[in-house]
Amino acid sequence: MKHSVSILLFLLAVINRGNAASDSLQAKIVSAVPPSFLELRIPNDSISANDMLNEKIVDLVNVDERDKKVPTPWTTHQGGGFGWFIRMIGFYWQAVDRQRYKFVGTNEKNGLSMPGEKDQLTEHDINFTLVPHLDQYMNFVYRGRMEQIKRGQFKRARRADITKPPFVPPTLQTAEIYDLHCELTPPKKVRDSVNALFYPCIHGNNLDKHPNFCDMKPTVGMYGVFVLDCNHSCHPEIHPYEWLWWLKLTKDETAGNNFNKTWMLGFFKESSNRFILWSRSPRVGTIAVPFIFKTSETKSYLKLSHLASGKFQPRGIKLMKTVPADSKRFDFTDTVVQLGLNNGKTFPFHLRTDYPVKTQALRWWISDLQTDADNKWVWGYLNIVVSVKDAYTAKLESVTMQ
């Protein structure tokens, strides 16, 4: 009887851990590691001191959503069926091309702009003002300024001379003028927990005091609709942003030549009444986060910690056509995938969570898996897909161990 109980307890422990050591995946063999992935091994204090390097690393993350295109060319405040009138008198958001885009930059203003203790009607906009230092994103802002000129609203802008930045092609020397507002009203039902666990979104707290930043000028990535805000001179914005992510670089992450990476990941539904058709439930999206390990670091792992979350909606996963059929649930605390390297060698890829989440609405898979011909490195992307009513936030840690 004693032996039977011991065997039963062992089997239950294995089931609870969700250990999938029998899973395997073959890496593609290439000649060398891409320089962009090797930058993930740079110590965090060096990344924190270099905005352009930080932006390059944050830009490695790839994001997507089910509805890449919004259904209408413009939207406005909704007021008892008078949205058309509000637009007629000149207050609306005009989609540049009705598409969602990724944008990466560094917050160059004095922290976040947010409302006071009370919402403004249904608005509670948490506003980053990002300055990009990478060419593709500086040119993205410039494109928005050209659209602003087309609409004839630039004369109302703070900088109205179209012969000067930001209305002429950007350079690194003029980058700080090519800033972009990025705004979202986070869902009210989860706002308190998002404020405590993810990022500041309630009056009285800002980036310098929040434990996930401790810095008024962090680098972040956004994904959302590219618009002209014609309530204010038709200046370009990402509004609403729905994916938000950054590399956490507080004192704990930058001390002691640390190069382990901690990613903060958030996915949201815009909750004001201005973007009802643009940000509908369920919100369904994917995020792909890069990783790299030396093949000698066999005890290394990725760990996903679930933070603030709303209601999961599994039906949305079927709407995301890019999710592979063999994607898996996060119904474990520790699982292992054997990654096939060169010459028949393998690397144990450990994925952990802080607690199992058994819903079909949150799944994962590995993609773009590669190794070098000398079997020194293995790298790729951990992909996460989520379908949620209003919000999901998480922390993903990449920990290196021999």
Side-chain angles (χ1 to χ4, degrees):
M1 179 67 179
K2 183 177 180 180
H3 292 296
S4 298
V5 171
S6 298
I7 293 171
L8 178 60
L9 290 174
F10 173 78
L11 291 173
L12 288 173
V14 170
I15 293 171
N16 183 57
R17 290 177 63 207
N19 195 315
S22 59
D23 287 352
S24 63
L25 187 64
Q26 181 60 45
K28 179 181 178 181
I29 302 169
V30 298
S31 58
V33 185
S36 58
F37 273 80
L38 286 176
E39 288 175 342
L40 290 167
R41 303 287 290 202
I42 294 175
N44 293 331
D45 56 348
S46 297
I47 298 172
S48 179
N50 187 328
D51 289 343
M52 181 175 285
L53 175 60
N54 198 348
E55 289 175 28
K56 287 172 66 178
I57 292 173
V58 169
D59 192 40
L60 285 174
V61 172
N62 296 316
V63 289
D64 197 5
E65 288 190 43
R66 168 181 63 92
D67 44 356
K68 297 180 183 181
K69 185 175 182 179
V70 296
T72 62
W74 57 270
T75 189
T76 187
H77 293 274
Q78 305 300 309
F82 288 96
W84 62 271
F85 178 75
I86 295 171
R87 181 179 186 273
M88 186 180 69
I89 61 176
F91 296 99
Y92 61 99
W93 288 264
Q94 178 74 39
V96 171
D97 59 5
R98 296 172 60 184
Q99 300 289 331
R100 287 178 165 85
Y101 288 92
K102 181 169 80 165
F103 187 80
V104 175
T106 299
N107 199 68
E108 293 294 340
K109 302 299 180 182
N110 191 27
L112 295 176
S113 171
M114 65 179 76
E117 294 182 3
K118 294 184 178 180
D119 292 358
Q120 300 169 352
L121 299 177
T122 63
E123 296 178 36
H124 190 92
D125 282 340
I126 309 305
N127 184 359
F128 288 85
T129 302
L130 300 184
V131 170
H133 298 88
L134 303 180
D135 286 344
Q136 66 267 39
Y137 298 118
M138 288 192 292
N139 288 322
F140 182 82
V141 178
Y142 174 59
R143 176 191 170 199
R145 291 298 183 177
M146 293 300 96
E147 294 293 332
Q148 183 184 18
I149 289 176
K150 290 179 183 178
R151 302 198 72 80
Q153 296 287 335
F154 65 91
K155 293 180 181 179
R156 296 167 52 200
R158 178 164 48 94
R159 300 184 182 97
D161 188 345
I162 62 173
T163 68
K164 296 180 180 179
F167 298 103
V168 297
T171 66
L172 272 179
Q173 289 69 37
T174 60
E176 71 278 0
I177 301 176
Y178 292 80
D179 57 1
L180 190 71
H181 287 188
C182 304
E183 304 184 32
L184 169 81
T185 291
K188 196 167 187 176
K189 290 183 179 180
V190 296
R191 202 173 292 163
D192 286 340
S193 55
V194 167
N195 179 73
L197 300 173
F198 187 65
Y199 81 142
C201 57
I202 292 179
H203 178 71
N205 197 9
N206 214 305
L207 295 171
D208 59 333
K209 303 297 183 182
H210 198 281
N212 290 334
F213 290 100
C214 300
D215 179 9
M216 292 291 255
K217 297 184 177 182
T219 294
V220 299
M222 304 277 189
Y223 184 79
V225 188
F226 190 26
V227 303
L228 302 177
D229 181 357
C230 294
N231 304 281
H232 304 101
S233 75
C234 288
H235 66 251
E237 296 180 340
I238 295 291
H239 197 172
Y241 60 84
E242 289 156 322
W243 274 114
L244 168 65
W245 69 96
W246 67 93
L247 194 60
K248 188 180 177 187
L249 296 170
T250 63
K251 288 183 179 179
D252 289 342
E253 283 75 33
T254 57
N257 206 36
N258 182 13
F259 59 81
N260 291 331
K261 298 294 182 281
T262 298
W263 294 95
M264 306 302 298
L265 316 173
F267 188 46
F268 299 95
K269 177 185 181 297
E270 161 72 31
S271 68
S272 75
N273 73 350
R274 300 163 297 172
F275 302 95
I276 294 172
L277 295 178
W278 289 11
S279 191
R280 294 175 292 182
S281 291
R283 300 311 305 150
V284 189
T286 61
I287 188 164
V289 182
F291 66 86
I292 183 170
F293 297 114
K294 289 182 178 179
T295 55
S296 60
E297 298 165 344
T298 55
K299 295 183 180 179
S300 301
Y301 60 88
L302 298 183
K303 181 179 179 180
L304 186 73
S305 297
H306 311 288
L307 304 178
S309 179
K311 182 179 180 181
F312 290 112
Q313 295 188 325
R315 63 185 175 88
I317 295 294
K318 295 180 181 179
L319 303 175
M320 199 76 197
K321 303 302 182 182
T322 57
V323 178
D326 60 351
S327 64
K328 299 175 178 63
R329 296 187 300 173
F330 284 99
D331 56 353
F332 56 83
T333 55
D334 190 0
T335 192
V336 182
V337 179
Q338 296 296 331
L339 305 183
L341 308 176
N342 196 13
N343 297 324
K345 295 184 178 180
T346 61
F347 176 84
F349 176 87
H350 294 264
L351 180 60
R352 301 177 181 177
T353 69
D354 58 337
Y355 61 88
V357 175
K358 297 184 178 182
T359 178
Q360 296 284 357
L362 184 67
R363 304 181 69 84
W364 68 275
W365 69 97
I366 298 170
S367 70
D368 303 288
L369 183 65
Q370 297 183 341
T371 186
D372 59 306
D374 295 329
N375 273 342
K376 291 182 178 180
W377 299 92
V378 61
W379 64 95
Y381 280 92
L382 176 71
N383 296 260
I384 298 171
V385 61
V386 60
S387 176
V388 70
K389 180 179 179 181
D390 37 28
Y392 173 74
T393 61
K395 176 174 68 175
L396 181 67
E397 300 167 88
S398 176
V399 180
T400 300
M401 298 178 67
Q402 298 288 341

